[in-house]
Amino acid sequence: MKIDLVCLGIGKGATYVMKGKPSSAFAIRVDEKPTLLVDCGAGVVLSCLKNLNGAIPDAIYITHNHMDHTGDLPIAIDAIREQNGTKPRILGHSSVLSLVKKHRLHELTATGKSLKEIADWIEPDSSNVIVVEDDLIVRLFQSVHSYTCYGFMLEKSDRAILGYSADSAFDEDIYAKIAQAPVAIVDGRETGNHDHASFREIETFGKHIPNCSIPVSY
């Protein structure tokens, strides 16, 4: 089985409007099949169509409800239903999904559709685990962010494959956790703050984990 990652964008909130570049998002493919979309901000649906051979994964994990992570979600939901004839699965922590349902999808529910008609909402079990498919899972943890936000560890057959901090300030415990995978994607800015790690913090930490590659989204 081959699992790979397709980067769909690394932009911030206004990047799509100001520069035509999509917000931060990536897709996980299993044997070339787009299986999981991670976040769905501005411009991400078009990026899926361009970079995933016209497909939008019908499972979408949402880290948090900021526009650059959920702005295209209403578009994606309608596109998946039209593309596959099925409801998408929206994955995420219950506290994140409750915000998405209330604040991001009003334009869909205003037509009279219920949230259950729009999508299947998949929340973690008591171990903070969500099954993506078969034995491919995401194990959630809360990021250090002023808005409710959850990163995850992607695991296959009980083996860590990919760690993702989501938007998060630098936190050594979180970074040590996701660095157990061979690849750990982290969020960074030139200057760190209470919501985002700095490039210097990431670089310093990375020197101590030679067995883990650390791509940076920003």
Side-chain angles (χ1 to χ4, degrees):
M1 176 179 290
K2 177 185 177 183
I3 298 177
D4 64 350
L5 180 152
V6 179
C7 179
L8 298 170
I10 58 170
K12 296 185 289 186
T15 305
Y16 186 64
V17 175
M18 302 298 293
K19 299 181 179 181
K21 303 294 185 181
S23 300
S24 295
F26 59 90
I28 300 297
R29 295 191 301 191
V30 178
D31 292 334
E32 302 298 326
K33 175 189 174 185
T35 301
L36 178 66
L37 174 61
V38 179
D39 283 331
C40 195
V44 170
V45 168
L46 182 58
S47 186
C48 283
L49 298 179
K50 288 181 176 179
N51 296 292
L52 298 175
N53 296 320
I56 305 170
D58 61 8
I60 304 174
Y61 179 87
I62 299 298
T63 60
H64 63 299
N65 191 44
H66 279 162
M67 185 275 292
D68 54 328
H69 294 263
T70 58
D72 264 15
L73 185 58
I75 299 169
I77 288 173
D78 278 345
I80 290 168
R81 292 171 65 92
E82 182 175 338
Q83 173 180 277
N84 302 333
T86 59
K87 291 188 294 183
R89 293 181 297 142
I90 311 300
L91 288 54
H93 192 271
S94 57
S95 58
V96 172
L97 295 187
S98 65
L99 293 170
V100 170
K101 292 173 184 177
K102 181 177 181 180
H103 299 293
R104 190 62 64 190
L105 298 182
H106 181 262
E107 64 190 83
L108 298 182
T109 56
T111 63
K113 295 179 181 177
S114 70
L115 289 166
K116 289 184 179 180
E117 289 177 300
I118 291 170
D120 291 327
W121 303 90
I122 314 298
E123 300 177 359
D125 62 17
S126 58
S127 300
N128 268 340
V129 166
I130 297 176
V131 176
V132 179
E133 65 170 31
D134 300 327
D135 58 350
L136 185 68
I137 69 168
V138 286
R139 190 179 302 275
L140 281 61
F141 59 83
Q142 188 163 11
S143 302
V144 180
H145 198 65
S146 57
Y147 202 55
T148 304
C149 182
Y150 279 79
F152 61 78
M153 182 76 82
L154 180 70
E155 301 176 12
K156 172 72 174 175
S157 302
D158 297 323
R159 181 169 66 91
I161 296 174
L162 171 73
Y164 181 42
S165 70
D167 280 8
S168 181
F170 178 78
D171 181 275
E172 193 160 349
D173 289 340
I174 288 177
Y175 275 51
K177 183 195 304 286
I178 61 177
Q180 296 174 39
V183 177
I185 300 177
V186 298
D187 169 71
R189 300 288 190 276
E190 185 172 354
T191 302
N193 53 40
H194 59 282
D195 284 334
H196 306 283
S198 70
F199 294 153
R200 182 178 295 276
E201 289 171 320
I202 296 168
E203 180 182 17
T204 300
F205 181 83
K207 292 178 180 179
H208 302 290
I209 48 168
N211 295 324
C212 179
S213 173
I214 307 181
V216 181
S217 66
Y218 58 94

